[in-house]
Amino acid sequence: MRKGKPSITARKVALSIVTLGAKAGMDRVLPRGIVQATERLLVASGVVGARTVRWARSQRAVAIYEAFDSILPGQFEAFAHRKALCERQVRDALDLGTTQVLVLGAGYDTLGWRLAPEFPDVNFFEIDHPATARLKAKGIAAMGERDNLCLIAEDLGKRNLVDVLKNSVSWDQKARTIIVAEGLVMYLPADAVQGLFRQCAVVTGVGSRIAFSYIPAGTDGRPDVGRWSGLMLWGQKMIGEPWLWSIRPEELDAFLQPLGWTNAPTLAGTTVKHGVEFYVVATKDNSRDE
Ligand SMILES: C[S@@+](CC[C@H](N)C(=O)[O-])C[C@H]1O[C@@H](n2cnc3c(N)ncnc32)[C@H](O)[C@@H]1O
């Protein structure tokens, strides 16, 4: 991450959501209200101006994003599927009695802001790198803060999740929780990813779940997004948000198990690859709480 600068990739995902709102048929995939909320957040936070948002809504923007699919096949629409899967997992978890939602590497995601009033008895938390989290907080303050949404500014590559949440008075370690980490783990070093999953199990109660996305590793152990992988790895490094972590899909179960999580491929919509990422939902190994 560029020192003290807000995330470029978070801005890219948010602008893609706005553009997907202008693409025919995507309204059937995108969660309700996400496009309008994202547009408001981008402008209210000062991430981009109203003109850029208007441009992002244009058919020209749709065509440009679609052209980039020749480098990352399917990745444009994949952002809509990723948002849909995460929201579905959160709603399913809330139906099952989950009382806490934690979004890691939240960027300009609007799930917490949109769902907080609908679920007043649930506590929503978000964590992101300070430079991005501060901008987001400015936007949320302008759009209307939610009593049950807590925005936390921390570097998860440097600070332990357990310590971060200890400072948050409303966090309940025993509560059934759904954690969302979309488009995050590829940006963390391997030891931080391991530590994060382990700590996610420590800070959550029985019946908790985690929904996340990851880029698969190729035979050389590096992130594999197809024939343009080398170019993408270089480009990500150039913008100061290098891809650091990936894993082979067949190694995922063995990776998660000792960290307290069980891959749950039978949960709706999981183990699907959209664009360059796999989507996963894992359930917490409850034996550790007994
Ligand atoms: C690709 S963006 C995804 C944003 C959001 N999850 C979404 O899908 O809309 C990656 C996000 O991870 C955050 N991130 C990367 N490294 C981080 C770290 N060490 N600590 C906290 N957040 C981090 C970035 O600031 C950015 O918001």
Side-chain angles (χ1 to χ4, degrees):
M1 185 74 66
R2 296 163 310 147
K3 221 172 175 333
K5 301 275 190 219
S7 166
I8 291 175
T9 56
R11 185 180 65 196
K12 182 185 162 215
V13 176
L15 281 172
S16 299
I17 297 303
V18 175
T19 306
L20 282 161
K23 185 175 155 92
M26 292 318 288
D27 54 338
R28 288 195 292 274
V29 179
L30 287 162
R32 199 151 41 93
I34 191 173
V35 176
Q36 297 76 5
T38 307
E39 289 177 353
R40 282 183 66 191
L41 179 63
L42 284 170
V43 176
S45 58
V47 172
V48 297
R51 251 175 86 176
T52 303
V53 166
R54 272 199 301 278
W55 178 82
R57 274 193 221 124
S58 69
Q59 289 310 307
R60 185 171 289 188
V62 173
I64 290 173
Y65 274 110
E66 281 177 341
F68 273 108
D69 270 8
S70 57
I71 296 177
L72 295 179
Q75 190 54 33
F76 176 39
E77 287 194 9
F79 288 129
H81 291 287
R82 197 168 93 181
K83 292 289 173 200
L85 176 118
C86 291
E87 185 148 336
R88 165 112 190 255
Q89 290 305 326
V90 169
R91 287 185 179 277
D92 284 356
L94 294 176
D95 278 351
L96 292 172
T98 290
T99 56
Q100 258 178 177
V101 179
L102 171 62
V103 184
L104 300 172
Y108 307 117
D109 180 68
T110 58
L111 179 138
W113 186 80
R114 287 181 294 109
L115 269 58
E118 191 182 331
F119 297 95
D121 298 331
V122 172
N123 282 326
F124 291 79
F125 298 80
E126 293 187 358
I127 304 179
D128 206 302
H129 218 272
T132 306
R134 273 190 222 111
L135 267 189
K136 167 114 173 237
K138 185 180 152 203
I140 295 289
M143 289 164 69
E145 280 168 0
R146 311 300 201 196
D147 289 344
N148 54 338
L149 170 62
C150 173
L151 306 180
I152 302 171
E154 287 290 354
D155 182 343
L156 292 168
K158 291 200 180 130
R159 277 208 73 201
N160 195 309
L161 185 67
V162 177
D163 294 337
V164 169
L165 291 172
K166 241 186 229 157
N167 292 336
S168 192
V169 278
S170 47
W171 182 263
D172 177 0
Q173 273 203 198
K174 297 270 179 249
R176 185 191 272 239
T177 302
I178 171 96
I179 299 177
V180 176
E182 45 164 333
L184 171 69
V185 289
M186 58 288 273
Y187 298 104
L188 301 177
D191 55 342
V193 177
Q194 264 202 356
L196 191 63
F197 277 104
R198 190 176 289 119
Q199 291 158 48
C200 282
V202 172
V203 296
T204 55
V206 172
S208 295
R209 292 179 176 179
I210 183 163
F212 65 99
S213 65
Y214 72 95
I215 297 176
T219 45
D220 60 0
R222 297 195 307 167
D224 178 8
V225 293
R227 60 194 288 245
W228 296 105
S229 291
L231 176 70
M232 283 306 300
L233 284 166
W234 175 81
Q236 290 295 136
K237 208 166 154 185
M238 284 301 109
I239 64 165
E241 296 179 48
W243 286 338
L244 302 173
W245 188 83
S246 61
I247 190 166
R248 290 194 199 152
E250 61 272 23
E251 289 169 1
L252 189 68
D253 292 9
F255 171 79
L256 291 173
Q257 205 82 54
L259 305 175
W261 297 96
T262 305
N263 190 3
T266 51
L267 288 175
T270 68
T271 61
V272 180
K273 190 175 184 230
H274 278 292
V276 300
E277 284 178 294
F278 279 94
Y279 304 157
V280 183
V281 179
T283 53
K284 186 175 155 172
D285 173 4
N286 293 330
S287 62
R288 291 170 185 236
D289 294 278
E290 282 156 8

